Amino acid sequence: MNDWVCNYIENQKRALDSIDPAALQRIVQRLEQGRRESRQIFVFGNGGSAANASHFATDLGKGASDVVGPFRVLSLNDNTAWMTAIGNDYDYSEVFSRQLANYGNPGDIVLTMSVSGASPNLLKAFEWAKEHGLYRVALVGGKRGPLIDLANEALVVDSEHYGRVEDVHMTIMHMLCYAFMEDALGEATSHAN
């Protein structure tokens, strides 16, 4: 058991080390631009990534907004009634794209997390977002998947282990929020209100 624990920790460290700081900085800058322009930020995912999406929306919408001013952030995972109605009446692959069709405008930002980068509902949402001029950010695992080709910005965690990638994605989500909460951009994050 001890060997398994040590091995898991070492592999987790390698996954963390694969975070591209330049890509993370570009995403922070895009979020700041979106905040200043009052763009809507949509975040969503499946399974553990859905939980990460809700967590991120809370941290950005409350924690980061308390420091630098409001982010208009919404987790598309958080309206269970709407998601189940879309899945039941149309198709589960449309649970995010149909919400974006109601809310999304050109210049808004969509951010998703996917270990495989191949979930049909995420691909359909990114296809809709691309067709309608939304900026697309994808956090994916080592398989990359077709989602990466639809993204304006992709950050790849170099692992195919689901738990490990989801953990690193949540670390990235926290870094995106704490970049504002700890004023990593300096004067760029001063209140625009």
Side-chain angles (χ1 to χ4, degrees), residues 13-31:
K13 288 176 183 175
R14 278 195 287 278
L16 282 165
D17 285 343
S18 72
I19 296 172
D20 178 359
L24 196 128
Q25 181 177 350
R26 289 190 297 270
I27 297 168
V28 169
Q29 291 169 335
R30 177 59 67 158
L31 292 174

Side-chain angles (χ1 to χ4, degrees), residues 93-116:
S93 68
E94 299 181 31
V95 294
F96 301 127
S97 61
R98 283 191 177 263
Q99 290 187 70
L100 288 175
N102 279 52
Y103 286 130
N105 290 300
D108 287 343
I109 300 166
V110 293
L111 189 155
T112 195
M113 296 149 279
S114 175
V115 178
S116 71

